[in-house]
Amino acid sequence: RRIDVSQLNELAPAQKQKLREWWKPQPGDFYCSPCNDGTLQPYGCYWWHNDEIERPTAIPLLDIGQMIEMLQEKQPDIAIERSLGIEYGWNTEHYRAFELADVLWIAVKEVLTHD
């Protein structure tokens, strides 16, 4: 599972830029290219398969593995569990309404805000 365009649209421009800088495109990645007005739409999403990607404007639709990698890279001294709030005694029932990708996305947004 991966994030979708609506989740990318939750990011401020500075967060989108940080995400672009962190991303190292690999074959099989999915990404979204902004329209001329800067908005992100589902019809502007593609599968990356070669070097023809427009890297300066492309924003990745992160999958679970990429989000875990980013959290480990950007917060190596902080366990993912802490990023997710589990350390603070939150009831795991709180997360049942979310998919793992959604919970990881919350942590990634936090990293992009404070990195």
Side-chain angles (χ1 to χ4, degrees), residues 87-111:
E87 156 181 304
Y88 302 107
W90 289 9
N91 187 332
T92 53
E93 295 288 320
H94 173 78
Y95 293 114
R96 288 204 177 169
F98 295 97
E99 294 286 335
L100 177 58
D102 297 328
V103 175
L104 289 169
W105 178 242
I106 292 167
V108 166
K109 287 191 307 185
E110 205 48 40
V111 167

Side-chain angles (χ1 to χ4, degrees), residues 55-69:
R55 180 99 164 64
T57 61
I59 302 173
L61 291 166
L62 301 174
D63 63 26
I64 289 171
Q66 289 170 311
M67 287 187 279
I68 290 172
E69 180 183 335

Side-chain angles (χ1 to χ4, degrees), residues 26-105:
Q26 300 294 314
D29 283 355
F30 284 82
Y31 69 94
C32 193
S33 289
C35 300
N36 290 337
D37 64 0
T39 60
L40 298 171
Q41 302 293 331
Y43 57 78
C45 296
Y46 308 96
W47 172 64
W48 188 76
H49 61 281
N50 58 34
D51 292 331
E52 296 176 13
I53 190 169
E54 294 183 23
R55 180 99 164 64
T57 61
I59 302 173
L61 291 166
L62 301 174
D63 63 26
I64 289 171
Q66 289 170 311
M67 287 187 279
I68 290 172
E69 180 183 335
M70 181 179 209
L71 291 170
Q72 289 175 333
E73 182 179 313
K74 297 293 186 181
Q75 293 186 337
D77 57 335
I78 300 174
I80 290 175
E81 291 84 6
R82 180 173 175 195
S83 296
L84 302 178
I86 295 168
E87 156 181 304
Y88 302 107
W90 289 9
N91 187 332
T92 53
E93 295 288 320
H94 173 78
Y95 293 114
R96 288 204 177 169
F98 295 97
E99 294 286 335
L100 177 58
D102 297 328
V103 175
L104 289 169
W105 178 242

